[in-house]
Amino acid sequence: MIAMTTAKYYVAATAIAPAAALLVWPGSRLLIIGCLIWIGAAAIYWIRSERMEHRARITATITAMQSASVRTLNHHRHDWMNDLQVLYGYIRLGKLDKTVGCVEKIRDRMNAESAISRLGVPSLISYIQSFRTLTNSLALEVEIDNGINLQEMVQDADRVAETLIHTINVYRLSAKPGTGEQALLRLRLATESGMLYASFYYDGELINERQWQHKMKEQLKGASLSPISEEQSYNEMVLKTELREIGA
């Protein structure tokens, strides 16, 4: 694609030559016709190159999305296989008390994933579900009150989702890797008194706390979710936004 872009600009630059010739011999009809043909050919090449680059970008985007989907499915398949193997082991050993606990754990995971899938914003749902493919230094756990659908409950669901994604990314890029246990970020979405609250609880170390504060402040400037107070630590941070009025 880089070679194609470079060639496109080179071809466009060649149109300068006939244009300069017209300035020297402005009355030459043959030169005018030649110049128009030259510029037309350059324009056609430019348009064709633009279309080819656009198709190449779309193909690359689709390929990247497909690869991310495959990685996400593999992670989920691995988790479910682990749970089923543990459950099968308890059944074979006749440990019914352990079996019940394992089934309840699987049920809780299913409920959590179901709540995530009902958030109403595809970009946020995809980001949360594929988070494990993005980093090994931070784990993300999401707890959602029953019935939360951002598209139905807030004025600008896409901006709210974007703020949540960017906030998680600040933690992801600030988490200190290689410190033993994996850092954990818990996100809880809840509603109360006409407000949506997004609570972030971080358990782990940061690369640089001051840098985290600066990045978070910049990220939340003008965002759709605002902090409940100016003084918040990276260990616990709560953001809020108003819920949409019923019938609005």
Side-chain angles (χ1 to χ4, degrees):
M1 186 183 293
I2 295 176
M4 188 186 305
T5 302
T6 304
K8 177 180 67 176
Y9 283 109
Y10 275 133
V11 171
T14 61
I16 297 174
L22 278 177
L23 294 176
V24 179
W25 300 288
S28 174
R29 183 175 299 177
L30 185 61
L31 186 59
I32 292 173
I33 294 173
C35 182
L36 291 175
I37 293 174
W38 194 318
I39 293 174
I44 292 173
Y45 184 84
W46 180 282
I47 293 170
R48 290 185 62 186
S49 298
E50 284 283 309
R51 289 176 178 174
M52 291 176 67
E53 288 179 8
H54 181 64
R55 285 196 295 268
R57 283 193 293 267
I58 291 177
T59 300
T61 300
I62 292 173
T63 301
M65 292 176 63
Q66 291 172 338
S67 298
S69 298
V70 170
R71 290 195 300 270
T72 300
L73 288 172
N74 284 337
H75 277 287
H76 283 284
R77 178 186 59 80
H78 183 266
D79 289 341
W80 285 115
M81 285 300 296
N82 283 344
D83 289 339
L84 289 175
Q85 285 175 357
V86 172
L87 177 60
Y88 180 64
Y90 287 146
I91 292 174
R92 288 193 63 185
L93 294 173
K95 296 184 177 181
L96 296 181
D97 55 335
K98 297 286 188 178
T99 301
V100 171
C102 188
V103 171
E104 289 178 348
K105 178 184 176 183
I106 293 175
R107 181 198 60 192
D108 291 342
R109 280 191 55 202
M110 292 178 63
N111 289 337
E113 293 190 7
S114 178
I116 291 170
S117 68
R118 293 196 299 267
L119 281 172
V121 184
S123 59
L124 179 60
I125 296 170
S126 175
Y127 178 82
I128 293 175
Q129 290 180 338
S130 62
F131 185 82
R132 286 186 58 187
T133 67
L134 301 177
T135 179
N136 293 319
S137 59
L138 179 66
L140 175 65
E141 292 183 0
V142 181
E143 179 184 345
I144 304 171
D145 276 7
N146 290 332
I148 289 185
N149 184 308
L150 297 180
Q151 290 287 5
E152 298 174 354
M153 301 177 70
V154 296
Q155 289 294 340
D156 196 337
D158 289 334
R159 287 193 62 217
V160 170
E162 183 179 327
T163 300
L164 292 172
I165 292 172
H166 288 172
T167 302
I168 296 172
N169 274 334
V170 172
Y171 277 104
R172 178 173 68 87
L173 297 174
S174 301
K176 190 173 183 179
T179 56
E181 290 189 11
Q182 189 180 41
L184 173 64
L185 176 64
R186 291 187 293 116
L187 166 62
R188 182 173 187 269
L189 297 177
T191 57
E192 184 179 347
S193 303
M195 303 292 293
L196 171 70
Y197 291 94
S199 304
F200 295 85
Y201 305 98
Y202 181 76
D203 183 10
E205 296 183 39
L206 297 178
I207 297 174
N208 187 309
E209 183 177 348
R210 183 170 296 180
Q211 188 179 54
W212 174 90
Q213 291 174 341
H214 174 73
K215 288 182 178 179
M216 192 62 71
K217 184 177 180 180
E218 290 297 313
Q219 193 278 124
L220 294 176
K221 190 180 297 181
S224 55
L225 289 164
S226 57
I228 60 172
S229 64
E230 292 185 4
E231 297 297 329
Q232 296 195 86
S233 70
Y234 68 89
N235 297 113
E236 181 176 344
M237 183 179 68
V238 182
L239 308 178
K240 65 178 182 178
T241 190
E242 292 184 1
L243 295 175
R244 177 185 293 171
E245 294 182 6
I246 298 177

PDB file of all heavy atoms in Angstrom, residues 98-131:
ATOM      1  N   LYS A  98     -18.777 -30.341  45.828  1.00  0.00           N
ATOM      2  CA  LYS A  98     -17.883 -29.618  44.929  1.00  0.00           C
ATOM      3  C   LYS A  98     -18.544 -29.391  43.567  1.00  0.00           C
ATOM      4  O   LYS A  98     -18.351 -28.361  42.922  1.00  0.00           O
ATOM      5  CB  LYS A  98     -16.584 -30.386  44.746  1.00  0.00           C
ATOM      6  CG  LYS A  98     -15.763 -30.568  46.007  1.00  0.00           C
ATOM      7  CD  LYS A  98     -15.086 -29.272  46.402  1.00  0.00           C
ATOM      8  CE  LYS A  98     -14.113 -29.506  47.556  1.00  0.00           C
ATOM      9  NZ  LYS A  98     -13.407 -28.263  47.942  1.00  0.00           N
ATOM     10  N   THR A  99     -19.334 -30.388  43.139  1.00  0.00           N
ATOM     11  CA  THR A  99     -20.013 -30.275  41.848  1.00  0.00           C
ATOM     12  C   THR A  99     -21.000 -29.119  41.852  1.00  0.00           C
ATOM     13  O   THR A  99     -21.064 -28.335  40.902  1.00  0.00           O
ATOM     14  CB  THR A  99     -20.761 -31.592  41.532  1.00  0.00           C
ATOM     15  OG1 THR A  99     -19.832 -32.670  41.494  1.00  0.00           O
ATOM     16  CG2 THR A  99     -21.482 -31.494  40.196  1.00  0.00           C
ATOM     17  N   VAL A 100     -21.746 -28.999  42.934  1.00  0.00           N
ATOM     18  CA  VAL A 100     -22.724 -27.910  43.043  1.00  0.00           C
ATOM     19  C   VAL A 100     -22.017 -26.553  43.005  1.00  0.00           C
ATOM     20  O   VAL A 100     -22.445 -25.628  42.306  1.00  0.00           O
ATOM     21  CB  VAL A 100     -23.543 -28.044  44.344  1.00  0.00           C
ATOM     22  CG1 VAL A 100     -24.404 -26.803  44.558  1.00  0.00           C
ATOM     23  CG2 VAL A 100     -24.408 -29.287  44.297  1.00  0.00           C
ATOM     24  N   GLY A 101     -20.904 -26.433  43.716  1.00  0.00           N
ATOM     25  CA  GLY A 101     -20.154 -25.185  43.723  1.00  0.00           C
ATOM     26  C   GLY A 101     -19.614 -24.825  42.342  1.00  0.00           C
ATOM     27  O   GLY A 101     -19.622 -23.662  41.929  1.00  0.00           O
ATOM     28  N   CYS A 102     -19.156 -25.853  41.617  1.00  0.00           N
ATOM     29  CA  CYS A 102     -18.617 -25.631  40.267  1.00  0.00           C
ATOM     30  C   CYS A 102     -19.726 -25.185  39.318  1.00  0.00           C
ATOM     31  O   CYS A 102     -19.530 -24.289  38.492  1.00  0.00           O
ATOM     32  CB  CYS A 102     -17.961 -26.910  39.766  1.00  0.00           C
ATOM     33  SG  CYS A 102     -17.073 -26.715  38.215  1.00  0.00           S
ATOM     34  N   VAL A 103     -20.903 -25.825  39.427  1.00  0.00           N
ATOM     35  CA  VAL A 103     -22.037 -25.448  38.568  1.00  0.00           C
ATOM     36  C   VAL A 103     -22.472 -24.014  38.862  1.00  0.00           C
ATOM     37  O   VAL A 103     -22.795 -23.253  37.935  1.00  0.00           O
ATOM     38  CB  VAL A 103     -23.212 -26.424  38.774  1.00  0.00           C
ATOM     39  CG1 VAL A 103     -24.469 -25.911  38.065  1.00  0.00           C
ATOM     40  CG2 VAL A 103     -22.853 -27.808  38.260  1.00  0.00           C
ATOM     41  N   GLU A 104     -22.472 -23.643  40.131  1.00  0.00           N
ATOM     42  CA  GLU A 104     -22.845 -22.270  40.495  1.00  0.00           C
ATOM     43  C   GLU A 104     -21.841 -21.260  39.933  1.00  0.00           C
ATOM     44  O   GLU A 104     -22.222 -20.169  39.488  1.00  0.00           O
ATOM     45  CB  GLU A 104     -22.932 -22.139  42.014  1.00  0.00           C
ATOM     46  CG  GLU A 104     -24.129 -22.868  42.613  1.00  0.00           C
ATOM     47  CD  GLU A 104     -24.163 -22.765  44.127  1.00  0.00           C
ATOM     48  OE1 GLU A 104     -23.136 -22.333  44.717  1.00  0.00           O
ATOM     49  OE2 GLU A 104     -25.201 -23.108  44.718  1.00  0.00           O
ATOM     50  N   LYS A 105     -20.564 -21.632  39.920  1.00  0.00           N
ATOM     51  CA  LYS A 105     -19.542 -20.760  39.346  1.00  0.00           C
ATOM     52  C   LYS A 105     -19.772 -20.578  37.849  1.00  0.00           C
ATOM     53  O   LYS A 105     -19.680 -19.449  37.327  1.00  0.00           O
ATOM     54  CB  LYS A 105     -18.152 -21.356  39.605  1.00  0.00           C
ATOM     55  CG  LYS A 105     -17.017 -20.541  39.002  1.00  0.00           C
ATOM     56  CD  LYS A 105     -15.682 -21.242  39.215  1.00  0.00           C
ATOM     57  CE  LYS A 105     -14.554 -20.479  38.515  1.00  0.00           C
ATOM     58  NZ  LYS A 105     -13.248 -21.197  38.647  1.00  0.00           N
ATOM     59  N   ILE A 106     -20.070 -21.678  37.159  1.00  0.00           N
ATOM     60  CA  ILE A 106     -20.348 -21.602  35.722  1.00  0.00           C
ATOM     61  C   ILE A 106     -21.593 -20.748  35.474  1.00  0.00           C
ATOM     62  O   ILE A 106     -21.629 -19.928  34.549  1.00  0.00           O
ATOM     63  CB  ILE A 106     -20.530 -23.015  35.133  1.00  0.00           C
ATOM     64  CG1 ILE A 106     -19.202 -23.777  35.196  1.00  0.00           C
ATOM     65  CG2 ILE A 106     -21.036 -22.947  33.700  1.00  0.00           C
ATOM     66  CD1 ILE A 106     -19.311 -25.228  34.753  1.00  0.00           C
ATOM     67  N   ARG A 107     -22.619 -20.932  36.298  1.00  0.00           N
ATOM     68  CA  ARG A 107     -23.851 -20.142  36.151  1.00  0.00           C
ATOM     69  C   ARG A 107     -23.576 -18.663  36.335  1.00  0.00           C
ATOM     70  O   ARG A 107     -24.078 -17.818  35.581  1.00  0.00           O
ATOM     71  CB  ARG A 107     -24.882 -20.610  37.178  1.00  0.00           C
ATOM     72  CG  ARG A 107     -26.222 -19.870  37.098  1.00  0.00           C
ATOM     73  CD  ARG A 107     -26.997 -20.052  38.381  1.00  0.00           C
ATOM     74  NE  ARG A 107     -26.252 -19.521  39.516  1.00  0.00           N
ATOM     75  CZ  ARG A 107     -26.581 -19.760  40.792  1.00  0.00           C
ATOM     76  NH1 ARG A 107     -27.602 -20.557  41.073  1.00  0.00           N
ATOM     77  NH2 ARG A 107     -25.871 -19.230  41.765  1.00  0.00           N
ATOM     78  N   ASP A 108     -22.752 -18.314  37.341  1.00  0.00           N
ATOM     79  CA  ASP A 108     -22.419 -16.911  37.581  1.00  0.00           C
ATOM     80  C   ASP A 108     -21.679 -16.313  36.382  1.00  0.00           C
ATOM     81  O   ASP A 108     -21.920 -15.159  35.996  1.00  0.00           O
ATOM     82  CB  ASP A 108     -21.560 -16.778  38.839  1.00  0.00           C
ATOM     83  CG  ASP A 108     -22.344 -17.088  40.106  1.00  0.00           C
ATOM     84  OD1 ASP A 108     -23.586 -17.062  40.049  1.00  0.00           O
ATOM     85  OD2 ASP A 108     -21.716 -17.361  41.146  1.00  0.00           O
ATOM     86  N   ARG A 109     -20.771 -17.079  35.797  1.00  0.00           N
ATOM     87  CA  ARG A 109     -20.042 -16.599  34.615  1.00  0.00           C
ATOM     88  C   ARG A 109     -20.980 -16.388  33.440  1.00  0.00           C
ATOM     89  O   ARG A 109     -20.870 -15.406  32.695  1.00  0.00           O
ATOM     90  CB  ARG A 109     -18.952 -17.594  34.222  1.00  0.00           C
ATOM     91  CG  ARG A 109     -17.690 -17.492  35.067  1.00  0.00           C
ATOM     92  CD  ARG A 109     -16.581 -18.304  34.458  1.00  0.00           C
ATOM     93  NE  ARG A 109     -16.342 -17.910  33.071  1.00  0.00           N
ATOM     94  CZ  ARG A 109     -15.759 -18.699  32.173  1.00  0.00           C
ATOM     95  NH1 ARG A 109     -15.382 -19.917  32.512  1.00  0.00           N
ATOM     96  NH2 ARG A 109     -15.566 -18.284  30.957  1.00  0.00           N
ATOM     97  N   MET A 110     -21.920 -17.305  33.265  1.00  0.00           N
ATOM     98  CA  MET A 110     -22.887 -17.174  32.185  1.00  0.00           C
ATOM     99  C   MET A 110     -23.752 -15.933  32.377  1.00  0.00           C
ATOM    100  O   MET A 110     -24.036 -15.197  31.423  1.00  0.00           O
ATOM    101  CB  MET A 110     -23.771 -18.426  32.095  1.00  0.00           C
ATOM    102  CG  MET A 110     -23.032 -19.676  31.643  1.00  0.00           C
ATOM    103  SD  MET A 110     -24.096 -21.146  31.619  1.00  0.00           S
ATOM    104  CE  MET A 110     -25.296 -20.660  30.376  1.00  0.00           C
ATOM    105  N   ASN A 111     -24.182 -15.683  33.607  1.00  0.00           N
ATOM    106  CA  ASN A 111     -24.990 -14.490  33.897  1.00  0.00           C
ATOM    107  C   ASN A 111     -24.199 -13.214  33.642  1.00  0.00           C
ATOM    108  O   ASN A 111     -24.734 -12.232  33.103  1.00  0.00           O
ATOM    109  CB  ASN A 111     -25.478 -14.522  35.344  1.00  0.00           C
ATOM    110  CG  ASN A 111     -26.539 -15.581  35.579  1.00  0.00           C
ATOM    111  OD1 ASN A 111     -27.220 -16.003  34.641  1.00  0.00           O
ATOM    112  ND2 ASN A 111     -26.674 -16.024  36.810  1.00  0.00           N
ATOM    113  N   ALA A 112     -22.906 -13.226  34.033  1.00  0.00           N
ATOM    114  CA  ALA A 112     -22.068 -12.047  33.826  1.00  0.00           C
ATOM    115  C   ALA A 112     -21.878 -11.765  32.339  1.00  0.00           C
ATOM    116  O   ALA A 112     -21.987 -10.621  31.882  1.00  0.00           O
ATOM    117  CB  ALA A 112     -20.712 -12.239  34.512  1.00  0.00           C
ATOM    118  N   GLU A 113     -21.611 -12.800  31.564  1.00  0.00           N
ATOM    119  CA  GLU A 113     -21.416 -12.623  30.126  1.00  0.00           C
ATOM    120  C   GLU A 113     -22.709 -12.211  29.442  1.00  0.00           C
ATOM    121  O   GLU A 113     -22.702 -11.438  28.477  1.00  0.00           O
ATOM    122  CB  GLU A 113     -20.854 -13.904  29.511  1.00  0.00           C
ATOM    123  CG  GLU A 113     -19.439 -14.218  29.971  1.00  0.00           C
ATOM    124  CD  GLU A 113     -18.810 -15.356  29.182  1.00  0.00           C
ATOM    125  OE1 GLU A 113     -19.423 -15.809  28.190  1.00  0.00           O
ATOM    126  OE2 GLU A 113     -17.702 -15.786  29.552  1.00  0.00           O
ATOM    127  N   SER A 114     -23.827 -12.711  29.949  1.00  0.00           N
ATOM    128  CA  SER A 114     -25.124 -12.325  29.397  1.00  0.00           C
ATOM    129  C   SER A 114     -25.389 -10.844  29.649  1.00  0.00           C
ATOM    130  O   SER A 114     -25.883 -10.126  28.766  1.00  0.00           O
ATOM    131  CB  SER A 114     -26.232 -13.174  30.021  1.00  0.00           C
ATOM    132  OG  SER A 114     -27.498 -12.780  29.542  1.00  0.00           O
ATOM    133  N   ALA A 115     -25.039 -10.358  30.855  1.00  0.00           N
ATOM    134  CA  ALA A 115     -25.235  -8.944  31.180  1.00  0.00           C
ATOM    135  C   ALA A 115     -24.357  -8.057  30.305  1.00  0.00           C
ATOM    136  O   ALA A 115     -24.781  -6.980  29.865  1.00  0.00           O
ATOM    137  CB  ALA A 115     -24.929  -8.706  32.652  1.00  0.00           C
ATOM    138  N   ILE A 116     -23.133  -8.501  30.037  1.00  0.00           N
ATOM    139  CA  ILE A 116     -22.230  -7.740  29.157  1.00  0.00           C
ATOM    140  C   ILE A 116     -22.816  -7.653  27.752  1.00  0.00           C
ATOM    141  O   ILE A 116     -22.798  -6.589  27.119  1.00  0.00           O
ATOM    142  CB  ILE A 116     -20.843  -8.397  29.126  1.00  0.00           C
ATOM    143  CG1 ILE A 116     -20.148  -8.243  30.484  1.00  0.00           C
ATOM    144  CG2 ILE A 116     -19.969  -7.781  28.029  1.00  0.00           C
ATOM    145  CD1 ILE A 116     -18.876  -9.055  30.627  1.00  0.00           C
ATOM    146  N   SER A 117     -23.363  -8.759  27.251  1.00  0.00           N
ATOM    147  CA  SER A 117     -23.893  -8.784  25.888  1.00  0.00           C
ATOM    148  C   SER A 117     -25.123  -7.905  25.730  1.00  0.00           C
ATOM    149  O   SER A 117     -25.499  -7.568  24.607  1.00  0.00           O
ATOM    150  CB  SER A 117     -24.231 -10.223  25.489  1.00  0.00           C
ATOM    151  OG  SER A 117     -25.332 -10.709  26.236  1.00  0.00           O
ATOM    152  N   ARG A 118     -25.755  -7.506  26.845  1.00  0.00           N
ATOM    153  CA  ARG A 118     -26.961  -6.671  26.781  1.00  0.00           C
ATOM    154  C   ARG A 118     -26.677  -5.202  27.047  1.00  0.00           C
ATOM    155  O   ARG A 118     -27.599  -4.411  27.239  1.00  0.00           O
ATOM    156  CB  ARG A 118     -28.002  -7.175  27.782  1.00  0.00           C
ATOM    157  CG  ARG A 118     -28.576  -8.551  27.445  1.00  0.00           C
ATOM    158  CD  ARG A 118     -29.860  -8.819  28.222  1.00  0.00           C
ATOM    159  NE  ARG A 118     -29.612  -8.793  29.660  1.00  0.00           N
ATOM    160  CZ  ARG A 118     -29.335  -9.874  30.387  1.00  0.00           C
ATOM    161  NH1 ARG A 118     -29.252 -11.060  29.796  1.00  0.00           N
ATOM    162  NH2 ARG A 118     -29.142  -9.783  31.692  1.00  0.00           N
ATOM    163  N   LEU A 119     -25.399  -4.800  27.052  1.00  0.00           N
ATOM    164  CA  LEU A 119     -25.061  -3.404  27.328  1.00  0.00           C
ATOM    165  C   LEU A 119     -25.544  -2.454  26.235  1.00  0.00           C
ATOM    166  O   LEU A 119     -25.695  -1.258  26.481  1.00  0.00           O
ATOM    167  CB  LEU A 119     -23.542  -3.254  27.510  1.00  0.00           C
ATOM    168  CG  LEU A 119     -22.997  -3.669  28.873  1.00  0.00           C
ATOM    169  CD1 LEU A 119     -21.467  -3.651  28.863  1.00  0.00           C
ATOM    170  CD2 LEU A 119     -23.525  -2.751  29.964  1.00  0.00           C
ATOM    171  N   GLY A 120     -25.751  -2.954  25.030  1.00  0.00           N
ATOM    172  CA  GLY A 120     -26.368  -2.138  23.999  1.00  0.00           C
ATOM    173  C   GLY A 120     -25.431  -1.412  23.061  1.00  0.00           C
ATOM    174  O   GLY A 120     -25.877  -0.824  22.078  1.00  0.00           O
ATOM    175  N   VAL A 121     -24.117  -1.414  23.339  1.00  0.00           N
ATOM    176  CA  VAL A 121     -23.151  -0.734  22.477  1.00  0.00           C
ATOM    177  C   VAL A 121     -22.135  -1.770  21.999  1.00  0.00           C
ATOM    178  O   VAL A 121     -21.309  -2.235  22.789  1.00  0.00           O
ATOM    179  CB  VAL A 121     -22.430   0.410  23.212  1.00  0.00           C
ATOM    180  CG1 VAL A 121     -21.494   1.152  22.254  1.00  0.00           C
ATOM    181  CG2 VAL A 121     -23.443   1.388  23.803  1.00  0.00           C
ATOM    182  N   PRO A 122     -22.166  -2.147  20.726  1.00  0.00           N
ATOM    183  CA  PRO A 122     -21.295  -3.220  20.221  1.00  0.00           C
ATOM    184  C   PRO A 122     -19.813  -2.990  20.484  1.00  0.00           C
ATOM    185  O   PRO A 122     -19.087  -3.943  20.787  1.00  0.00           O
ATOM    186  CB  PRO A 122     -21.597  -3.226  18.713  1.00  0.00           C
ATOM    187  CG  PRO A 122     -22.992  -2.713  18.605  1.00  0.00           C
ATOM    188  CD  PRO A 122     -23.106  -1.675  19.686  1.00  0.00           C
ATOM    189  N   SER A 123     -19.341  -1.746  20.361  1.00  0.00           N
ATOM    190  CA  SER A 123     -17.918  -1.476  20.553  1.00  0.00           C
ATOM    191  C   SER A 123     -17.483  -1.806  21.975  1.00  0.00           C
ATOM    192  O   SER A 123     -16.406  -2.372  22.197  1.00  0.00           O
ATOM    193  CB  SER A 123     -17.598  -0.010  20.241  1.00  0.00           C
ATOM    194  OG  SER A 123     -18.348   0.862  21.079  1.00  0.00           O
ATOM    195  N   LEU A 124     -18.315  -1.469  22.959  1.00  0.00           N
ATOM    196  CA  LEU A 124     -17.993  -1.752  24.358  1.00  0.00           C
ATOM    197  C   LEU A 124     -18.089  -3.242  24.650  1.00  0.00           C
ATOM    198  O   LEU A 124     -17.226  -3.810  25.332  1.00  0.00           O
ATOM    199  CB  LEU A 124     -18.936  -0.970  25.279  1.00  0.00           C
ATOM    200  CG  LEU A 124     -18.737  -1.174  26.785  1.00  0.00           C
ATOM    201  CD1 LEU A 124     -17.337  -0.750  27.210  1.00  0.00           C
ATOM    202  CD2 LEU A 124     -19.798  -0.413  27.579  1.00  0.00           C
ATOM    203  N   ILE A 125     -19.120  -3.890  24.128  1.00  0.00           N
ATOM    204  CA  ILE A 125     -19.289  -5.331  24.334  1.00  0.00           C
ATOM    205  C   ILE A 125     -18.096  -6.086  23.763  1.00  0.00           C
ATOM    206  O   ILE A 125     -17.507  -6.954  24.418  1.00  0.00           O
ATOM    207  CB  ILE A 125     -20.593  -5.814  23.664  1.00  0.00           C
ATOM    208  CG1 ILE A 125     -21.798  -5.171  24.339  1.00  0.00           C
ATOM    209  CG2 ILE A 125     -20.696  -7.342  23.741  1.00  0.00           C
ATOM    210  CD1 ILE A 125     -23.100  -5.391  23.596  1.00  0.00           C
ATOM    211  N   SER A 126     -17.715  -5.747  22.527  1.00  0.00           N
ATOM    212  CA  SER A 126     -16.581  -6.405  21.883  1.00  0.00           C
ATOM    213  C   SER A 126     -15.291  -6.156  22.649  1.00  0.00           C
ATOM    214  O   SER A 126     -14.476  -7.071  22.823  1.00  0.00           O
ATOM    215  CB  SER A 126     -16.444  -5.902  20.438  1.00  0.00           C
ATOM    216  OG  SER A 126     -15.300  -6.436  19.819  1.00  0.00           O
ATOM    217  N   TYR A 127     -15.106  -4.934  23.135  1.00  0.00           N
ATOM    218  CA  TYR A 127     -13.872  -4.596  23.866  1.00  0.00           C
ATOM    219  C   TYR A 127     -13.756  -5.417  25.148  1.00  0.00           C
ATOM    220  O   TYR A 127     -12.701  -5.981  25.437  1.00  0.00           O
ATOM    221  CB  TYR A 127     -13.858  -3.101  24.183  1.00  0.00           C
ATOM    222  CG  TYR A 127     -12.646  -2.673  24.973  1.00  0.00           C
ATOM    223  CD1 TYR A 127     -11.435  -2.424  24.346  1.00  0.00           C
ATOM    224  CD2 TYR A 127     -12.713  -2.533  26.356  1.00  0.00           C
ATOM    225  CE1 TYR A 127     -10.319  -2.043  25.071  1.00  0.00           C
ATOM    226  CE2 TYR A 127     -11.604  -2.155  27.087  1.00  0.00           C
ATOM    227  CZ  TYR A 127     -10.412  -1.911  26.437  1.00  0.00           C
ATOM    228  OH  TYR A 127      -9.301  -1.546  27.164  1.00  0.00           O
ATOM    229  N   ILE A 128     -14.840  -5.480  25.908  1.00  0.00           N
ATOM    230  CA  ILE A 128     -14.804  -6.222  27.172  1.00  0.00           C
ATOM    231  C   ILE A 128     -14.577  -7.713  26.919  1.00  0.00           C
ATOM    232  O   ILE A 128     -13.765  -8.360  27.590  1.00  0.00           O
ATOM    233  CB  ILE A 128     -16.111  -6.005  27.962  1.00  0.00           C
ATOM    234  CG1 ILE A 128     -16.212  -4.539  28.424  1.00  0.00           C
ATOM    235  CG2 ILE A 128     -16.173  -6.936  29.167  1.00  0.00           C
ATOM    236  CD1 ILE A 128     -17.524  -4.200  29.093  1.00  0.00           C
ATOM    237  N   GLN A 129     -15.298  -8.257  25.936  1.00  0.00           N
ATOM    238  CA  GLN A 129     -15.188  -9.694  25.670  1.00  0.00           C
ATOM    239  C   GLN A 129     -13.814 -10.091  25.135  1.00  0.00           C
ATOM    240  O   GLN A 129     -13.377 -11.220  25.325  1.00  0.00           O
ATOM    241  CB  GLN A 129     -16.278 -10.113  24.686  1.00  0.00           C
ATOM    242  CG  GLN A 129     -17.680 -10.076  25.282  1.00  0.00           C
ATOM    243  CD  GLN A 129     -18.745 -10.488  24.290  1.00  0.00           C
ATOM    244  OE1 GLN A 129     -18.539 -10.421  23.082  1.00  0.00           O
ATOM    245  NE2 GLN A 129     -19.896 -10.916  24.785  1.00  0.00           N
ATOM    246  N   SER A 130     -13.142  -9.166  24.451  1.00  0.00           N
ATOM    247  CA  SER A 130     -11.833  -9.486  23.868  1.00  0.00           C
ATOM    248  C   SER A 130     -10.671  -8.936  24.691  1.00  0.00           C
ATOM    249  O   SER A 130      -9.525  -8.987  24.245  1.00  0.00           O
ATOM    250  CB  SER A 130     -11.748  -8.929  22.438  1.00  0.00           C
ATOM    251  OG  SER A 130     -11.857  -7.514  22.443  1.00  0.00           O
ATOM    252  N   PHE A 131     -10.949  -8.419  25.886  1.00  0.00           N
ATOM    253  CA  PHE A 131      -9.912  -7.741  26.669  1.00  0.00           C
ATOM    254  C   PHE A 131      -8.727  -8.651  26.948  1.00  0.00           C
ATOM    255  O   PHE A 131      -7.573  -8.207  26.942  1.00  0.00           O
ATOM    256  CB  PHE A 131     -10.495  -7.209  27.981  1.00  0.00           C
ATOM    257  CG  PHE A 131      -9.513  -6.397  28.777  1.00  0.00           C
ATOM    258  CD1 PHE A 131      -9.294  -5.064  28.479  1.00  0.00           C
ATOM    259  CD2 PHE A 131      -8.795  -6.969  29.816  1.00  0.00           C
ATOM    260  CE1 PHE A 131      -8.381  -4.310  29.193  1.00  0.00           C
ATOM    261  CE2 PHE A 131      -7.881  -6.222  30.542  1.00  0.00           C
ATOM    262  CZ  PHE A 131      -7.670  -4.888  30.227  1.00  0.00           C
TER     263      PHE A 131
END
